[in-house]
């Protein structure tokens, strides 16, 4: 299987050229209603296509949330396929937010669904859960290396429930979240300019100085905008790793639809605010 240039290298270039911003494509029923669309496949397609046409040629990353497509069954998945393909054709990198996690052949099948070059849902990267043990992700890691794609592994998530697992102390004295970050540092060792195996770390978590976030790969950071974090918060949260952070903004951009110009302006505004916040003076 012939792979692309490694995801980390492609992401670093996109962040430098377009600004370090990921825009989520999250077609909530309530957001479809705000846009004046019906909560059906037609509304889903109109919503997704509008977002892609407005921003895919200028933002670094688009992140479809698969659940909001899957709830419409096969027709919704068909819309998701077109969304991914059109976004990539316009130059955006696509991170599929599916948070897959399983073992053995099942994990391999999940990986093939999103990271195999011939898959209808082929994406540049996939979010995955390591909470069946980090080693359970091995099939996805192997396929990502083969195809030049990447993974974003849930490490320190912004939801309050996550702490009961991620901050739990292991027998060796490290937290589970720190252990995940340690595994990613090994995956990314020696990769330049950026490794392809990233972490999901919430921008709303405050002081994370007790964690080594500089693990050589990108950090997908939800929480900017509607969840309360701002671009100005990023250096304090992520410290020396802030240059590798890709903040995700969903509702903060999407609420400006269905006007394509307003969506584009909002995305560009967030990208510039984030670039200014993470660039050393």
């Amino acid at each position: 299987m012939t792979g692309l240039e490694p995801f980390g290298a492609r992401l670093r270039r996109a962040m430098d050229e377009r600004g370090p911003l990921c825009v989520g494509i999250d077609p909530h029923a309530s957001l479809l209603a705000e846009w004046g669309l019906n909560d059906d496949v037609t509304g889903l397609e109109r919503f997704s296509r509008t977002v892609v046409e407005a921003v895919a040629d200028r933002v670094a990353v688009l992140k479809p949330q698969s659940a909001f497509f899957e709830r419409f069954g096969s027709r919704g998945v068909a819309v998701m396929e077109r969304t991914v393909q059109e976004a990539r054709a316009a130059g955006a990198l696509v991170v599929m937010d599916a948070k897959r996690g399983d073992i053995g052949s099942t994990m391999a099948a999940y990986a093939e669904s999103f990271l195999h070059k011939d898959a209808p849902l082929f994406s540049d990267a996939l979010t995955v859960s390591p909470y069946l043990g980090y080693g359970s992700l091995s099939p996805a890691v192997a396929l990502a290396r083969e195809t030049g794609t990447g993974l974003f592994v849930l490490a320190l998530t912004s939801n309050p429930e996550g702490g009961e697992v991620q901050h739990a102390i292991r027998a060796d004295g490290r937290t589970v979240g720190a252990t995940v970050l340690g595994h990613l540092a090994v995956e990314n060792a020696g990769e330049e300019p950026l490794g392809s195996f990233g972490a999901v770390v919430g921008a709303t978590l405050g002081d994370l100085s007790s964690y080594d976030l500089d693990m050589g790969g990108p950090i997908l950071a939800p929480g900017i905008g509607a969840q309360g974090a701002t671009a100005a918060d990023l250096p304090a949260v992520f410290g020396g790793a802030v240059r590798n952070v890709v903040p995700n903004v969903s509702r903060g951009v999407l609420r400006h639809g269905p006007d394509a110009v307003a969506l584009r302006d909002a995305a560009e505004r967030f990208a510039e605010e984030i670039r200014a916040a993470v660039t050393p003076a």
Side-chain angles (χ1 to χ4, degrees), residues 150-220:
L151 300 176
F152 282 100
V153 182
L154 303 180
L156 298 167
T157 57
S158 56
N159 62 306
E161 304 89 348
E164 69 182 51
V165 174
Q166 296 156 18
H167 299 315
I169 306 295
R170 290 164 30 99
D172 62 4
R174 292 197 300 169
T175 67
V176 171
T179 301
V180 171
L181 293 169
H183 283 299
L184 292 172
V186 172
E187 303 288 9
N188 293 316
E191 296 295 324
E192 295 291 344
L194 188 65
S196 298
F197 300 95
V200 179
V201 179
T204 56
L205 295 178
D207 182 8
L208 293 174
S209 58
S210 61
Y211 287 92
D212 185 3
L213 299 176
D214 192 8
M215 41 74 194
I219 299 173
L220 183 63

Side-chain angles (χ1 to χ4, degrees), residues 21-22 24 158 202-204 221-234 247-256 266 269-271 273-274:
L21 175 66
C22 169
S158 56
T204 56
I224 300 290
Q227 294 185 47
T230 69
D233 296 327
L234 295 172
N248 176 72
V249 179
S250 295
R251 188 171 291 273
V253 171
L254 301 178
R255 66 182 177 84
H256 294 280
R269 184 167 59 252
F270 273 110
E273 289 175 359
I274 293 165

Side-chain angles (χ1 to χ4, degrees), residues 39-62:
D39 186 24
D40 57 20
V41 173
T42 300
L44 176 73
E45 182 148 34
R46 173 75 181 277
F47 179 96
S48 303
R49 179 156 286 169
T50 299
V51 176
V52 169
E53 290 177 351
V55 303
D57 64 343
R58 62 198 62 222
V59 301
V61 180
L62 283 174

Side-chain angles (χ1 to χ4, degrees), residues 29-196:
S30 60
L31 197 50
L32 294 177
E34 288 179 28
W35 280 36
L37 300 172
N38 292 329
D39 186 24
D40 57 20
V41 173
T42 300
L44 176 73
E45 182 148 34
R46 173 75 181 277
F47 179 96
S48 303
R49 179 156 286 169
T50 299
V51 176
V52 169
E53 290 177 351
V55 303
D57 64 343
R58 62 198 62 222
V59 301
V61 180
L62 283 174
K63 182 175 71 63
Q65 168 47 259
S66 66
F68 294 115
F69 296 84
E70 291 176 34
R71 68 193 184 99
F72 293 104
S74 60
R75 294 176 66 201
V77 173
V79 173
M80 183 161 62
E81 290 176 4
R82 291 192 291 274
T83 298
V84 170
Q85 292 162 10
E86 290 170 5
R88 296 190 74 243
L93 298 177
V94 171
V95 173
M96 179 56 66
D97 194 357
K99 299 183 179 70
R100 297 301 196 246
D102 215 305
I103 61 172
S105 59
T106 310
M107 187 67 240
Y110 279 139
E112 289 170 4
S113 298
F114 300 102
L115 302 179
H116 191 286
K117 68 179 181 63
D118 296 325
L121 284 166
F122 178 67
S123 303
D124 296 285
L126 172 68
T127 61
V128 292
S129 173
Y131 296 112
L132 287 172
Y134 183 85
S136 66
L137 301 180
S138 294
V141 171
L143 186 58
R145 290 194 186 282
E146 187 177 350
T147 59
T149 53
L151 300 176
F152 282 100
V153 182
L154 303 180
L156 298 167
T157 57
S158 56
N159 62 306
E161 304 89 348
E164 69 182 51
V165 174
Q166 296 156 18
H167 299 315
I169 306 295
R170 290 164 30 99
D172 62 4
R174 292 197 300 169
T175 67
V176 171
T179 301
V180 171
L181 293 169
H183 283 299
L184 292 172
V186 172
E187 303 288 9
N188 293 316
E191 296 295 324
E192 295 291 344
L194 188 65
S196 298

